[in-house]
């Protein structure tokens, strides 16, 4: 029998996402961001007991952003080299689509 999934609360979720994002972020200090798909890959490995699907993860991300627990960002310039990462990172929410978790230093 697999162990029962233990869903994180908002603070635990945001902390784990920020840690995963910080380890994968690109950019310069003050403007570092990590692709949501890269953060998802890390969370899937680091938090198996959460037992969340990618769709659930993205919904939880949008909710954490809405509540101010973390900050998501969209891709202003579509980098052709990163098109696969952009597509797999997309989180549609209201009138925007987010692709990154912003890393605050």
């Amino acid at each position: 029998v697999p162990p029962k999934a233990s869903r994180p609360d908002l603070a635990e979720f945001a902390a784990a996402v920020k840690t995963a994002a910080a380890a994968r972020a690109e950019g310069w200090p003050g403007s570092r961001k990590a692709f949501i798909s890269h953060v998802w890959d890390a969370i899937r490995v680091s938090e198996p007991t959460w037992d969340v699907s990618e769709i659930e993860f993205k919904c939880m991300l949008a909710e954490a952003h809405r509540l101010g627990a973390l900050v998501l960002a969209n891709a202003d310039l579509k980098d052709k080299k990163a098109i696969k990462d952009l597509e797999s990172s997309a989180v549609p929410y209201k009138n925007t689509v987010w692709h990154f978790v912003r890393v605050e230093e």
Side-chain angles (χ1 to χ4, degrees):
V1 176
K4 187 177 179 313
S6 62
R7 295 296 165 98
D9 64 16
L10 179 65
E12 183 186 356
F13 177 76
V17 167
K18 288 176 181 179
T19 298
R24 286 151 190 83
E26 298 170 11
W28 53 93
S31 184
R32 289 172 25 91
K33 300 180 284 231
F35 279 109
I36 289 169
S37 61
H38 296 181
V39 174
W40 163 240
D41 290 342
I43 291 291
R44 216 174 42 214
V45 171
S46 68
E47 303 296 344
T49 60
W50 289 1
D51 192 31
V52 295
S53 69
E54 183 177 8
I55 291 170
E56 290 170 307
F57 173 75
K58 288 180 174 182
C59 289
M60 292 163 76
L61 262 186
E63 184 66 3
H65 173 86
R66 188 183 71 78
L67 294 171
L70 50 80
V71 179
L72 300 179
N74 65 338
D76 338 323
L77 299 170
K78 305 291 190 266
D79 180 354
K80 299 291 183 251
K81 295 189 306 282
I83 198 75
K84 188 174 182 301
D85 288 326
L86 284 169
E87 288 171 354
S88 61
S89 294
V91 175
Y93 182 80
K94 295 193 176 177
N95 299 359
T96 191
V97 178
W98 290 312
H99 302 95
F100 299 105
V101 175
R102 187 174 297 282
V103 175
E104 293 153 2
E105 261 111 5

